[in-house]
Structure formats: C-alpha cells, structure tokens
Amino acid sequence: MESCFLTIIIISSFVVYCCRCGIPDWDDVVVAREDMPTTMVCTDTPGNGVVAINWRIKSLRADEWKLILSAKETERFSGGALKPSMRLTDPNFHDTGVFSLFLLPKLEDSGLYSCLMIQRDKPLKERKILLAILTVTVIPTAPIPQHSTLRLIASVNPDYAITKITWTAPGGIYMKSEKMPNTGTVAKLPKVQNNDNGVYVCTLHLWGNSSSSFVTFNVDVTIDAHKVASFTNITHATQISSATQAQTSFHLTCPAVQGDHLLLYWRPPNINNNKNMKIVYEYDRWRGSTLLTEQSKRLQLAGPPYNAEAGSFSFLLTPEIRDAGLYICDVYLNDVVFSQRTLLSVLKVKTRHFSSKLELLCKYSELGQVKSASWEYQNKSRQLHMTNSPGSITTTVPLPITDDTAGNYTCTLKLKNGQTIWATYVVTVPSEESVSATTSSLFPSLSALLLLVPLVAVSVGVLLWRQKHISDHGIEQSLSVHSGEAENIYENPVDFRQAPPQGSVYMDLKPRGEDDVYKELERYEQCQN
C-alpha cells in the first residue's frame, strides 16, 4: 500500500515537472514592454505557394484559439481578437513571404500566438510564438532625491516565459536582486548619490525555444542633484534599558523588520546630549558593503535566527566599560525607518594589592539608569565596609587572607527598571604546599653553595702556595707533567685521555710532607662525613 502511494506521488511530481520543464508548445518567445512597438516574426520562402495567412491567439486563461486576422492576396478579414494597433508588417506578403505581425501590446495581450500559412485551402506551416509582457517600475519617480532608496522592479507575464531576471548598474556592475511573491524581481540601492545616475540594464533569461537565450531592456535613472530625501516616517520601538558584564557577549537588538540598510549610532555613557551621537556601524545588504569604526571591533552582526544578507538584523556586542551608553539601531525599509534604542550599563570588577589589604573595586557606567550598587560577602553575617564614588563602589579584604575572609565577594548592580546584574570575585587563601615547596627547594642549592665555599677557598690557597713555592725555586709551572712520581694525579698521558672530562685545569701538585694539600682535603671530607 505504501509502495503504491509513493508511486502516485512520484508520477504526480513528474507531471507537474513536465508542465514546466518539458518541451514548450511554442517556437519562439517574444518579450515586450507595454505600449512599445513589437513585431512577432513569421516568414516563409517567397514563391512557396502560400496564398493565405491566419493569425490567432490563445490567451493565458483561455482554452480556445481566437482569430485576429486572415489575409489573402485579394482580401482581408479581421477577427474578433484584433486590436487597433495590430497589422501585418508587409502588405505584399504574397510576394515577399513576410507574414509578421506588428502591435503595441498591453498586459492582457500576452499569450500564445499562431501564424498559420495556408496553401490551396490546406495548412502548409504553423509557427507559434509566446508573447510575454515585461513591466518595469522605478521608485521613487524621477528625478530621485538623494539618500532615498532606489527600487527597480521587473515582472513578466506569463512568468514561465523566463528562467530569471537580473539587473546591471551603470558600468556593468552586477546588482543583487530578489524575487518577491506577487511583485517581481527587485533590485535596490539604498542612499543613492549623484553618481548613481545612468542607464540600468534589465536582462531576461528566456526559457524554452527562442531565437535567443536572453533579451535586455534599458532603464534610465535620474538622481536629483538639488534634493535630499527627508525620512519623516519613523517608527520608534520601546526603549530597552539593560546591563551586562564587561567582556561578555551582549545581544543588541534591532527592529524586527526585513530591512535594506541599517545604521547603528552610539552615544558615550553618562552624557545626555545627543549631539555626541556617532555612527559606529553601517551595513547595506544590497551593495554588500559595511562601514566599520574603531568600536566595530567589539561588534558583529548576529547569526541565526538572524540573517543580515536577507535583511534580518541584530548585533552581538562584547563591551568594555567605556562601551556603555545609548545605542540606536535604525533599519531602513524603502523610505521608512524603524528605530530601536538601547540604554546599556557595563559592570566590571578590578583588584588592587596593597601591603596590608586587597582592594576590590566595582566599576559601572551609564549612571542615570543605576538605582544602587553594593558589595556582599558569601557569609551574609559579615558586614563589609564599602566606599562609594560616582561610577564605583569599593571594599577591602585585610591581608593575610584567612579562612574567615576567603570566599566569594559579589558586586550587585540594580537598575531603576528592576533589572539586576552581578559579578563575583573569588578570594583564596595562599596555598601552604606551594610555599613549603618553594622554601624546601632552596635548601639543596644553599647546601651545595655552602659546601663549595671551603673547597674553593682551599683550591685558591693551594694555587697561591704552589705559585709561591715555584717562584722561590725558579721552577716553571707545568700542566700534567710526566714525572714518574706515583702521587701525580695524571702521571700517565694515557690515563689523562681516558679520564672523564671535568672542565677543570689540573695542576701538577705534589705532596710536600706535613703540608700536603691532599691530606688536608681528606681531613675535610672526613669532617663532612
């Protein structure tokens, strides 16, 4: 049963698909603008014996053909579907073989036309032509004020005559366009300037059998060099008052409309003068252009469910405390403006270390909407001493940190609209393990250093003593001399080469009775052991 149901769906889909994508029932497509001179070409080889021609039309919503006109060499007949502007282009069609039809079409004249050539009262050849009517609308009407939104709208009836419509700006620049239900294909240019003057090209890509794959139409656009659009139609949403922690993502709301272009303004915190407003972000979805500022580094257009390319706007702001203030997001849809204002406070906790205390500083901005700010310890029974100043509140923790003073310290900010935001700082007791580990690690180094001092002193004494002794006897000092005395450290050169490298210079020090330095070193080692 399920298999049969699936088969029915597939067959139905195939039928629908063939209606649009199968072999069309025409030989050519002609696209014309309303009231523009149009010719539907129908020709045959001269002298082919054609003695009569019948032009007929089947309207889009009709099932039957209606006669427009019938012509023979000697007589003419007009059908009920003939319009005043319709006529044969060549009165001598019998000799030239040109049976083309001329007309000034209206929108209701679109449909399927038939050029039927008759020989000896029998149909010889038939040529079918689909006539589609293009409607182009330019808004605002020319001349167009500067800064307004230019709208170029093109629609074709019937729409199945084409696959798509594209727009090109002066200079051959491809324009973004969108197909809108019951409207047509729309291309827009927000905030037009004088340099947007010129000829715009509408290109229709034809579907099915046609003498060409596309057809173009020129549209003249004139910008008024002396007039600037005034946007008085502004819809204001209810202002949002909110707060957030510094360096955390905050959702900055824009009007919920599918717009063309947006401007984000910002006024610094704690300032009531709107003369300080400045643009911090601008986005034009039709041109695909973005204007960025220094503050834009902390702003980005929000992703799903928002889609800036489709005109659904919102921002993610990661503010520093200086980024608080008033934000105004203006979204332009054609020549109407939708505005959303957000007053934002930003909270940040900082610390400062002193010899006897740890200072916890809670800073906040946009004071006009703040009702109160306070510090609170996790143990509610412990009262904190707090110091207030405009835009900040401070408390201190005595040093050293103990179990009684360690824990969570929370700064809470309350707005006048009832919203509350807080930031918590965790104070911890210094780890004893880390202290002892650091201290114990010093002892081996210190012990080695203390052991090294007498060794170095003894070595230096020996060198000085040896130098004096040699000087007294006029004997030259040497390194690793082959002496034959058993007490020499390296009396054999082979032993010297096999000894591990020590990075030291070994002097030829020989025992001298009671003053033997080796005996002194042995006594020192015994004392150490």
Side-chain angles (χ1 to χ4, degrees), residues 435-463:
V435 174
S436 60
T438 303
T439 305
S440 62
S441 65
L442 296 176
F443 287 118
S445 299
L446 183 59
S447 300
L449 181 60
L450 294 175
L451 179 61
L452 184 61
V453 169
L455 290 175
V456 172
V458 170
S459 299
V460 171
V462 170
L463 289 175

Short mmCIF file of all heavy atoms in Angstrom, two decimals, residues 435-463:
data_model
loop_
_atom_site.label_atom_id
_atom_site.label_comp_id
_atom_site.label_asym_id
_atom_site.label_seq_id
_atom_site.Cartn_x
_atom_site.Cartn_y
_atom_site.Cartn_z
N VAL A 435 54.04 27.19 49.18
CA VAL A 435 55.04 27.92 49.94
C VAL A 435 56.15 27.00 50.42
O VAL A 435 57.33 27.29 50.28
CB VAL A 435 54.38 28.65 51.13
CG1 VAL A 435 55.43 29.29 52.02
CG2 VAL A 435 53.40 29.70 50.63
N SER A 436 55.78 25.84 51.03
CA SER A 436 56.78 24.92 51.55
C SER A 436 57.62 24.34 50.42
O SER A 436 58.82 24.13 50.56
CB SER A 436 56.11 23.79 52.33
OG SER A 436 55.22 23.07 51.48
N ALA A 437 56.99 24.07 49.30
CA ALA A 437 57.74 23.52 48.16
C ALA A 437 58.75 24.53 47.67
O ALA A 437 59.90 24.19 47.35
CB ALA A 437 56.79 23.14 47.04
N THR A 438 58.38 25.76 47.66
CA THR A 438 59.30 26.81 47.22
C THR A 438 60.46 26.95 48.20
O THR A 438 61.62 27.10 47.82
CB THR A 438 58.56 28.14 47.08
OG1 THR A 438 57.47 27.98 46.20
CG2 THR A 438 59.48 29.22 46.56
N THR A 439 60.13 26.88 49.51
CA THR A 439 61.17 27.04 50.54
C THR A 439 62.14 25.88 50.52
O THR A 439 63.36 26.06 50.55
CB THR A 439 60.52 27.16 51.93
OG1 THR A 439 59.59 28.22 51.89
CG2 THR A 439 61.57 27.43 52.99
N SER A 440 61.62 24.63 50.48
CA SER A 440 62.50 23.46 50.53
C SER A 440 63.38 23.38 49.31
O SER A 440 64.48 22.84 49.38
CB SER A 440 61.65 22.18 50.66
OG SER A 440 60.82 22.06 49.51
N SER A 441 62.90 23.89 48.23
CA SER A 441 63.71 23.81 47.01
C SER A 441 64.94 24.69 47.10
O SER A 441 65.88 24.53 46.35
CB SER A 441 62.86 24.23 45.80
OG SER A 441 62.51 25.60 45.92
N LEU A 442 64.96 25.62 48.08
CA LEU A 442 66.11 26.49 48.23
C LEU A 442 67.26 25.80 48.98
O LEU A 442 68.42 26.13 48.78
CB LEU A 442 65.72 27.76 49.00
CG LEU A 442 64.71 28.68 48.32
CD1 LEU A 442 64.37 29.83 49.26
CD2 LEU A 442 65.28 29.23 47.01
N PHE A 443 66.93 24.83 49.87
CA PHE A 443 67.96 24.24 50.74
C PHE A 443 69.02 23.45 49.98
O PHE A 443 70.20 23.58 50.30
CB PHE A 443 67.30 23.37 51.82
CG PHE A 443 66.62 24.20 52.87
CD1 PHE A 443 65.25 24.11 53.08
CD2 PHE A 443 67.36 25.10 53.66
CE1 PHE A 443 64.63 24.89 54.03
CE2 PHE A 443 66.73 25.87 54.62
CZ PHE A 443 65.36 25.77 54.80
N PRO A 444 68.69 22.61 49.03
CA PRO A 444 69.77 21.89 48.33
C PRO A 444 70.75 22.85 47.67
O PRO A 444 71.97 22.65 47.73
CB PRO A 444 69.01 21.05 47.30
CG PRO A 444 67.65 20.89 47.89
CD PRO A 444 67.36 22.15 48.61
N SER A 445 70.21 23.86 47.04
CA SER A 445 71.10 24.82 46.38
C SER A 445 71.97 25.54 47.40
O SER A 445 73.17 25.75 47.18
CB SER A 445 70.26 25.82 45.58
OG SER A 445 69.51 25.16 44.61
N LEU A 446 71.35 25.91 48.53
CA LEU A 446 72.10 26.62 49.57
C LEU A 446 73.16 25.72 50.17
O LEU A 446 74.31 26.13 50.41
CB LEU A 446 71.13 27.12 50.64
CG LEU A 446 71.75 27.95 51.76
CD1 LEU A 446 72.44 29.18 51.18
CD2 LEU A 446 70.69 28.34 52.78
N SER A 447 72.83 24.44 50.40
CA SER A 447 73.80 23.50 50.98
C SER A 447 74.97 23.30 50.03
O SER A 447 76.13 23.26 50.44
CB SER A 447 73.11 22.15 51.25
OG SER A 447 72.05 22.35 52.16
N ALA A 448 74.65 23.15 48.75
CA ALA A 448 75.73 22.96 47.77
C ALA A 448 76.64 24.17 47.74
O ALA A 448 77.86 24.06 47.61
CB ALA A 448 75.12 22.69 46.39
N LEU A 449 76.00 25.36 47.84
CA LEU A 449 76.80 26.59 47.81
C LEU A 449 77.73 26.66 49.02
O LEU A 449 78.91 27.02 48.91
CB LEU A 449 75.87 27.80 47.75
CG LEU A 449 76.55 29.17 47.70
CD1 LEU A 449 77.43 29.27 46.45
CD2 LEU A 449 75.51 30.28 47.74
N LEU A 450 77.18 26.30 50.22
CA LEU A 450 78.00 26.35 51.43
C LEU A 450 79.14 25.34 51.38
O LEU A 450 80.24 25.58 51.89
CB LEU A 450 77.12 26.09 52.67
CG LEU A 450 76.07 27.18 52.96
CD1 LEU A 450 75.18 26.76 54.12
CD2 LEU A 450 76.75 28.51 53.28
N LEU A 451 78.89 24.19 50.77
CA LEU A 451 79.93 23.18 50.63
C LEU A 451 81.00 23.62 49.65
O LEU A 451 82.18 23.30 49.80
CB LEU A 451 79.30 21.85 50.18
CG LEU A 451 80.28 20.66 49.96
CD1 LEU A 451 81.00 20.34 51.29
CD2 LEU A 451 79.54 19.46 49.44
N LEU A 452 80.59 24.35 48.66
CA LEU A 452 81.52 24.76 47.62
C LEU A 452 82.49 25.83 48.11
O LEU A 452 83.63 25.91 47.66
CB LEU A 452 80.73 25.29 46.41
CG LEU A 452 81.54 25.69 45.17
CD1 LEU A 452 82.32 24.49 44.64
CD2 LEU A 452 80.61 26.26 44.10
N VAL A 453 82.04 26.67 49.07
CA VAL A 453 82.87 27.78 49.54
C VAL A 453 84.21 27.31 50.11
O VAL A 453 85.27 27.79 49.69
CB VAL A 453 82.09 28.64 50.56
CG1 VAL A 453 83.04 29.63 51.25
CG2 VAL A 453 80.97 29.39 49.85
N PRO A 454 84.25 26.34 51.09
CA PRO A 454 85.57 25.90 51.59
C PRO A 454 86.41 25.22 50.54
O PRO A 454 87.64 25.35 50.53
CB PRO A 454 85.21 24.95 52.73
CG PRO A 454 83.80 24.54 52.47
CD PRO A 454 83.15 25.69 51.81
N LEU A 455 85.77 24.48 49.63
CA LEU A 455 86.53 23.83 48.55
C LEU A 455 87.23 24.85 47.69
O LEU A 455 88.40 24.71 47.34
CB LEU A 455 85.61 22.94 47.72
CG LEU A 455 85.09 21.67 48.39
CD1 LEU A 455 84.10 20.95 47.49
CD2 LEU A 455 86.24 20.76 48.78
N VAL A 456 86.49 25.87 47.33
CA VAL A 456 87.09 26.94 46.50
C VAL A 456 88.21 27.62 47.27
O VAL A 456 89.27 27.92 46.75
CB VAL A 456 86.01 27.95 46.07
CG1 VAL A 456 86.66 29.16 45.39
CG2 VAL A 456 85.01 27.29 45.15
N ALA A 457 87.96 27.87 48.58
CA ALA A 457 88.98 28.54 49.40
C ALA A 457 90.26 27.70 49.48
O ALA A 457 91.38 28.21 49.34
CB ALA A 457 88.44 28.81 50.80
N VAL A 458 90.10 26.39 49.67
CA VAL A 458 91.26 25.51 49.74
C VAL A 458 92.01 25.49 48.43
O VAL A 458 93.24 25.56 48.37
CB VAL A 458 90.81 24.09 50.16
CG1 VAL A 458 91.97 23.10 50.01
CG2 VAL A 458 90.28 24.10 51.58
N SER A 459 91.24 25.40 47.31
CA SER A 459 91.88 25.36 45.99
C SER A 459 92.66 26.62 45.74
O SER A 459 93.79 26.60 45.23
CB SER A 459 90.82 25.15 44.91
OG SER A 459 90.16 23.95 45.11
N VAL A 460 92.06 27.76 46.05
CA VAL A 460 92.75 29.03 45.84
C VAL A 460 94.01 29.09 46.70
O VAL A 460 95.08 29.53 46.25
CB VAL A 460 91.80 30.21 46.16
CG1 VAL A 460 92.57 31.52 46.17
CG2 VAL A 460 90.68 30.26 45.14
N GLY A 461 93.94 28.62 47.97
CA GLY A 461 95.11 28.61 48.84
C GLY A 461 96.22 27.75 48.29
O GLY A 461 97.40 28.11 48.32
N VAL A 462 95.82 26.59 47.77
CA VAL A 462 96.82 25.69 47.19
C VAL A 462 97.51 26.33 46.01
O VAL A 462 98.74 26.26 45.84
CB VAL A 462 96.16 24.35 46.80
CG1 VAL A 462 97.12 23.51 45.96
CG2 VAL A 462 95.72 23.59 48.03
N LEU A 463 96.70 26.98 45.14
CA LEU A 463 97.30 27.63 43.96
C LEU A 463 98.28 28.73 44.37
O LEU A 463 99.36 28.86 43.80
CB LEU A 463 96.19 28.19 43.08
CG LEU A 463 95.33 27.16 42.32
CD1 LEU A 463 94.19 27.86 41.60
CD2 LEU A 463 96.17 26.36 41.35
#
